[in-house]
Amino acid sequence: MDISNSKSLFANAQNFIPGGVNSPVRAFKAVGGDPLFIKKADGAYLYDEDDNRYIELINSWGPMILGHNHPVIKEAVIKAMESGTSFGAPTAKEIEIAALITKMVPSVEKVRMVNSGTEATMSAVRLARGFTGRDKFIKFEGNYHGHGDSFLIAAGSGAITMGAPNSPGVTIGTAKDTLLALYNDLESVEQLIEANKAEVAAIILEPVPGNMGLVLPEEGFLQGLRKLCDEEGIVLIFDEVMTGFRLAKGGAQEVFGVTPDLTTMGKIIGGGMPVGAYGGKKEIMDFVSPVGPVYQAGTLSGNPIAMAAGLAMLQYLDQEPGVYNQLESIGNKLVGGVKQSLSKLGLNYSMNHLGSMYSLFFSEEKIIDFETAKTSDTALFGKYFQAMLKRGVYLPPSQFESLFLSTSLKEEHIEYIIQANEESLKEIL
Ligand SMILES: Cc1ncc(COP(=O)(O)O)c(C=O)c1O
Ligand SMILES: N[C@H](C=O)CCC(=O)O
């Protein structure tokens, strides 16, 4: 495969951009080789600067749930562009999207739009602190909530991929208020709460973590957290930046029937534009400025182009019959095929799957948390990644990320991926 244009662009990019990329995981450091520079994308495909075509299994890290360049989103963006790109003033579309979010995610009674998932999680924790008058919060090892200082402690995603789950630059003062629990381990949470009685403002978690590879909550874990929060006056925050509008209209909270106090959203909510949001109970959300004392603002928050894209995306997901069944069926077929190949080849690698998200771990352990995720053979994952790429399948370039499927994957794509997966496994083992 000729990737000479990507190679020379990457060499040049490194002169002007740290590591040549605007987000670390894109640099392919964990899997070797040079990153591909992407020229365009359409439906299930990405095209690089050398005109190679790849089937998409990242989908911009989740947002492109309908595939790329979907006509509904494209038309909404073009139409919005004709009226100007930013006003810094309220618009009618902001009410429309906020109302639709509250309909799709009933625990969200009021919502504030921001520009990224990072802003959403930072703002939600600040709000929980302001609301409770407490300073500390609990997060889980291997969960990723964006790059806010207080989250870069035992963080998943690019942080663990780059070998820096605890980032320099985060002060001891900040870090001391982040308490670390073990995912799927209620006892570890109870101990932290006991040791920090009446000091914990919030528990924040990815209800279905996708940033240490995909991990599923064990029976009773989310319910147990809800109970603890109720007993201790702690704000329960579900970070649904990945899972929101993906696992179901109402996200992981709908799938597992557990209601958080606050929810953070991102990715799909912007239809591919930079959007995040946080929302939840009215009594908590009314603590946000200008009605309440907790400050949070944004020059481009609620940007009209971004709102048009997000609204078109959410309306489609809300109204198009069978869209989540379609995603479920794509996921089941693909994962079923990959599992068949694993057993045919006598491999016991672990797979976690839910709806349109899955991860194949190069580990024979059941992956239930950060410790077990880290048993994966990341060097072997790197070889697998390259073998798939060579066959035109674009995976997340890290073992510690989930794959994201889109409705644009048709039968022929699924069959091709299953075949490529089997050939790749044979090649690397
Ligand atoms: C669960 C989760 N929370 C927060 C974030 C941060 O979102 P963003 O990258 O839009 O800042 C991400 C992804 O990066 C995420 O996966
Ligand atoms: N896991 C991250 C977000 O979901 C990956 C995106 C990034 O860090 O660039």
Side-chain angles (χ1 to χ4, degrees):
M1 186 188 291
D2 175 21
I3 58 159
S4 49
N5 289 340
S6 279
K7 274 180 179 297
S8 66
L9 285 164
F10 186 47
N12 192 22
Q14 288 172 78
N15 294 320
F16 307 106
I17 304 171
V21 290
N22 279 315
S23 196
V25 72
R26 296 180 195 171
F28 280 22
K29 271 197 153 179
V31 290
D34 287 337
L36 302 173
F37 277 62
I38 304 303
K39 186 156 70 177
K40 64 172 186 178
D42 198 48
Y45 297 111
L46 278 185
Y47 298 83
D48 70 14
E49 288 282 356
D50 295 276
D51 292 323
N52 299 305
R53 191 181 78 170
Y54 306 87
I55 301 178
E56 252 289 51
L57 294 179
I58 310 183
N59 283 297
S60 190
W61 304 93
M64 313 320 296
I65 193 168
L66 308 178
H68 292 282
N69 220 6
H70 192 280
V72 166
I73 317 285
K74 189 160 115 180
E75 275 158 33
V77 169
I78 291 171
K79 188 155 174 252
M81 290 281 294
E82 281 161 2
S83 303
T85 53
S86 182
F87 315 131
T91 64
K93 276 234 156 48
E94 289 169 282
I95 314 172
E96 251 189 285
I97 193 167
L100 183 53
I101 293 165
T102 63
K103 178 185 160 220
M104 292 173 82
V105 191
S107 74
V108 174
E109 294 170 347
K110 284 194 175 181
V111 61
R112 171 61 66 81
M113 307 306 293
V114 292
N115 303 294
S116 67
T118 298
E119 274 188 56
T121 53
M122 279 174 9
S123 309
V125 167
R126 183 186 308 133
L127 175 58
R129 284 171 160 159
F131 181 73
T132 58
R134 302 171 178 178
D135 288 346
K136 298 182 179 173
F137 74 93
I138 294 176
K139 86 170 273 287
F140 291 86
E141 286 190 2
N143 278 207
Y144 179 71
H145 304 292
H147 63 90
D149 281 3
S150 56
F151 300 121
L152 288 180
I153 295 155
S157 186
I160 174 69
T161 304
M162 299 298 138
N166 306 301
S167 176
V170 175
T171 64
I172 292 167
T174 297
K176 78 172 179 12
D177 288 330
T178 303
L179 308 175
L180 273 182
L182 308 177
Y183 191 78
N184 271 330
D185 183 344
L186 271 181
E187 224 178 274
S188 74
V189 183
E190 282 161 359
Q191 281 167 6
L192 285 174
I193 293 175
E194 207 41 50
N196 297 274
K197 208 67 187 163
E199 289 184 283
V200 179
I203 295 178
I204 185 168
L205 77 155
E206 297 182 66
V208 179
N211 284 296
M212 43 183 166
L214 185 72
V215 173
L216 303 183
E218 294 194 328
E219 185 86 36
F221 178 63
L222 298 176
Q223 289 80 356
L225 292 177
R226 178 67 275 175
K227 188 162 170 279
L228 280 174
C229 285
D230 288 342
E231 287 166 359
E232 302 291 335
I234 296 170
V235 176
L236 181 61
I237 307 173
F238 276 8
D239 180 355
E240 297 234 38
V241 167
M242 269 188 180
T243 52
F245 312 106
R246 174 165 283 281
L247 295 181
K249 267 188 208 183
Q253 54 196 271
E254 180 184 318
V255 175
F256 292 95
V258 177
T259 305
D261 301 305
L262 292 178
T263 300
T264 54
M265 295 161 271
K267 300 195 189 263
I268 290 173
I269 203 172
M273 302 293 281
V275 180
Y278 65 104
K281 284 186 175 157
K282 261 188 206 146
E283 56 166 325
I284 306 182
M285 289 307 290
D286 280 342
F287 248 68
V288 178
S289 186
V291 62
V294 175
Y295 195 70
Q296 181 272 309
T299 303
L300 292 172
S301 293
N303 170 271
I305 314 297
M307 293 303 99
L311 183 60
M313 173 68 92
L314 297 191
Q315 280 171 338
Y316 187 95
L317 293 173
D318 185 45
Q319 289 160 19
E320 185 71 11
V323 67
Y324 288 99
N325 288 341
Q326 189 188 347
L327 287 161
E328 184 83 27
S329 147
I330 292 169
N332 287 342
K333 279 186 201 152
L334 191 46
V335 171
V338 173
K339 280 189 173 162
Q340 252 181 15
S341 299
L342 288 176
S343 76
K344 197 159 115 191
L345 298 171
L347 300 169
N348 289 321
Y349 292 142
S350 227
M351 278 193 85
N352 286 337
H353 165 221
L354 191 61
S356 58
M357 295 172 77
Y358 80 88
S359 287
L360 166 61
F361 294 92
F362 285 85
S363 167
E364 294 191 354
E365 289 220 23
K366 185 174 180 214
I367 309 298
I368 54 160
D369 57 14
F370 202 33
E371 275 318 295
T372 47
K374 284 192 292 188
T375 63
S376 305
D377 184 340
T378 51
L380 195 55
F381 175 84
K383 288 186 187 157
Y384 170 71
F385 171 87
Q386 292 296 347
M388 290 292 274
L389 196 64
K390 197 167 74 182
R391 289 171 173 82
V393 181
Y394 193 70
L395 302 174
S398 165
Q399 173 72 93
F400 304 111
E401 299 284 355
S402 173
L403 278 73
F404 296 100
L405 309 179
S406 81
T407 54
S408 66
L409 289 172
K410 305 294 173 231
E411 209 63 53
E412 70 262 25
H413 300 123
I414 298 171
E415 279 168 24
Y416 183 85
I417 299 164
I418 293 170
Q419 171 88 19
N421 171 70
E422 192 165 317
E423 286 173 15
S424 298
L425 288 172
K426 279 187 192 153
E427 181 185 307
I428 62 168
L429 292 167

